[in-house]
Amino acid sequence: MVVSFIPKIANQKQSTKKQTLLLYELIKNYSLSFSRKLISLLIFFGVWHFLCTIDFNFGINFVFVPTPIEVINAFFQFINDSPLIHIKASILRVIGGFITGSIFGIILGLFIGSSKLVEDLVSTPLELLRPIPAVAWIPLAILMFPDAESGMYYITFVGAFYPILISTQKAVESTLSDRLMIRVGQSLGANQLHLFTDIVIPSSLPGISAGLVIGMGNAWFCLVTAEIIAGRFGIGYKTWESYVISEYPPIVMGMILIGLLGSLSSFLVLKFTNSLMPWREISKNGL
Amino acid sequence: MVYRNNSVDTQIDVTKNIVVIEKLNKSFLFNRKKRLILSNINFNIKEGEFICLLGPSGCGKSTLLDMLGGFTFPDSGNVIVNNKLVKKPGPERGFVFQKNSLIPWLTLEENVGYGLKLKNESTLLIKENVDRFMRLVGLENYSNLYPHQLSGGMQQRGCIIRSLINNPKILLMDEPFGAVDAQTRTLLQEMLLEIWRKVGTTIIFVTHDIDEAILLADRIFIMGVNPGHIKEIVKVNISRPRTFKTSLDPEFQVSKIKILESIREETLKIIK
């Protein structure tokens, strides 16, 4: 949008009055958007509470679903009861899986996307393994890895790896199918290596970024699955354990906590990757 | 012109012709059927000339330019630039594309300096040259902006100097002003003539705009269709420097009518 353009060029020429007007406009837009989001959240919790209090049971049964207030109570109990050890364990598992997934996914994706030879050599077994859900990996993860911890890393890795791999591969392929930027590089004297580092990789970054955001989400998806094999700690473990001992509010608390941490980390990934791409112009009003 | 062996440059007679195209044929596959696009193209271009390739859409003028650029190759015949057979793209043949082709993730300054950076030139030398060329086209105040922050005309100026900074033997331009508005186009044309006068590079400029061709060119190669061929070569005798007022010159009108008639014949062939 123009916003990125204004501070650089038009600044000197604009009067301060115009600038304050612009700032006011920006704040107005942000607060409007923020209040819309707040309202949507309130409605969500309101509907949930309402369905619980009337014991809604029509196709879907809300009788056993804890109310938002019970969940909040469970949350405070969790906070008072050494929560960091669980949160830390889970975050480490997610980040570990995500980082290894990113490294393998991006590198393999770049090579598969740009070389027919590599694609032929490695993509068939990868495609065979791709549809296997994380849950199905549990027995092998227990058998293949020396301890439960590395098995859990493996499961979050599987979740993160595939979306990153596929997005990277597709992004590279679409860069290569539009010859323009490649031709520009060639006509300026770029060799194969330059084309790869200066053209193919930056041009694929938006696609890779999307893969990283989805991959981060998927790693959290797989957390509960992974922590089924956990011995003692983890938010996913806590959620599963509460189900086993029929204590319902902590289940929902665990779900919400995973949702929160998941969206927060996806947001951070998005912010980080966007900071790598200052050249991009994103305007959703311009559709 | 004696041309014997493409691997031994010394056997080629050195002439003043910077571009030589001999007995060139090119066909493409359309639905598994071979279709001739360019048939028996022969021409020479002298160093420093400004040539316009003019013809209706589909006459193969862009394909011909692509072959000079080294992006695609003839089925038979030779494309020789600066006494060398064209085998791949390279900085000695600058190319300005029809679409905006500044690299989106580089600032204007980085785009313009990219060719020199690839040659591992020093930062200081790159900076000096970039500044000089930016001033030449009036872009010196926009160095740190990204391409999407520039207007279409600025982007094309950037593309032109990005090629020129490599000191190319020829500059190949594929309808570079096709996407900008009419007023900007006139200014860009005058600017291009001014740059050409200063730099002296040979330019081959593809266009379907007759006025543009007459304003810019020393010689206009009019291309015919089915299959593409050089129909006629028109020499433009209007004195330089030329400006927007040149279109009022009687000589301009004479050339225009002559070319219009010639092109009209070809366009009719397509429509029928």
Side-chain angles (χ1 to χ4, degrees), chain B residues 79-131:
Chain B
V79 179
I80 300 155
V81 175
N82 198 24
N83 296 324
K84 284 191 199 97
L85 206 66
V86 172
K87 285 179 189 156
K88 59 174 190 188
E92 72 282 1
R93 278 161 286 122
F95 208 107
V96 178
F97 297 85
Q98 185 173 6
K99 281 191 271 181
N100 157 41
S101 65
L102 288 177
I103 301 169
W105 43 92
L106 300 182
T107 60
L108 180 59
E109 186 175 46
E110 289 166 337
N111 261 287
V112 174
Y114 185 61
L116 294 180
K117 201 184 138 217
L118 289 173
K119 285 183 193 158
N120 285 323
E121 298 289 0
S122 71
T123 327
L124 191 75
L125 187 130
I126 295 177
K127 179 99 181 95
E128 267 174 24
N129 276 285
V130 169
D131 286 350

Side-chain angles (χ1 to χ4, degrees), chain A residues 22-243:
Chain A
L22 199 78
L23 197 69
Y24 171 74
E25 196 73 0
L26 271 176
I27 291 169
K28 207 179 93 184
N29 283 344
Y30 276 124
S31 54
L32 192 69
S33 153
F34 181 75
S35 50
R36 280 194 207 131
K37 284 173 185 166
L38 202 67
I39 288 169
S40 87
L41 260 185
L42 285 177
I43 291 174
F44 169 74
F45 283 110
V47 170
W48 172 11
H49 190 80
F50 177 72
L51 291 174
C52 288
T53 46
I54 63 163
D55 282 348
F56 182 86
N57 189 358
F58 190 75
I60 303 170
N61 187 359
F62 271 77
V63 176
F64 299 104
V65 176
T67 63
I69 293 162
E70 284 174 310
V71 172
I72 289 167
N73 283 335
F75 180 70
F76 281 117
Q77 208 175 343
F78 174 70
I79 295 283
N80 286 331
D81 193 31
S82 65
L84 281 181
I85 198 160
H86 293 289
I87 294 176
K88 198 179 137 198
S90 291
I91 287 181
L92 279 179
R93 284 162 195 157
V94 167
I95 290 186
F98 174 73
I99 288 178
T100 35
S102 307
I103 294 169
F104 281 94
I106 291 173
I107 292 175
L108 269 173
L110 287 174
F111 282 107
I112 294 175
S114 52
S115 153
K116 184 82 185 121
L117 176 74
V118 180
E119 185 184 0
D120 288 347
L121 285 177
V122 300
S123 71
T124 318
L126 286 175
E127 277 302 303
L128 267 176
L129 296 177
R130 188 162 67 93
I132 298 172
V135 172
W137 277 107
I138 290 180
L140 271 186
I142 294 171
L143 295 173
M144 280 161 57
F145 290 92
D147 52 33
E149 203 56 41
S150 42
M152 285 186 275
Y153 277 110
Y154 177 68
I155 287 174
T156 50
F157 160 81
V158 169
F161 172 68
Y162 279 107
I164 298 171
L165 173 78
I166 304 292
S167 316
T168 307
Q169 180 193 338
K170 293 299 163 198
V172 171
E173 283 167 2
S174 83
T175 305
L176 293 176
S177 72
D178 175 22
R179 304 297 298 166
L180 183 64
M181 280 304 136
I182 302 287
R183 285 185 169 193
V184 166
Q186 287 175 328
S187 79
L188 294 172
N191 60 27
Q192 291 290 321
L193 183 69
H194 290 137
L195 289 179
F196 199 68
T197 56
D198 297 350
I199 307 287
V200 174
I201 291 179
S203 155
S204 309
L205 265 183
I208 297 175
S209 157
L212 289 176
V213 173
I214 301 170
M216 181 52 106
N218 260 22
W220 283 100
F221 265 18
C222 296
L223 184 70
V224 181
T225 310
E227 290 183 344
I228 286 176
I229 53 179
R232 286 158 65 197
F233 303 120
I235 305 167
Y237 164 75
K238 188 96 182 132
T239 311
W240 188 247
E241 185 208 31
S242 308
Y243 172 66

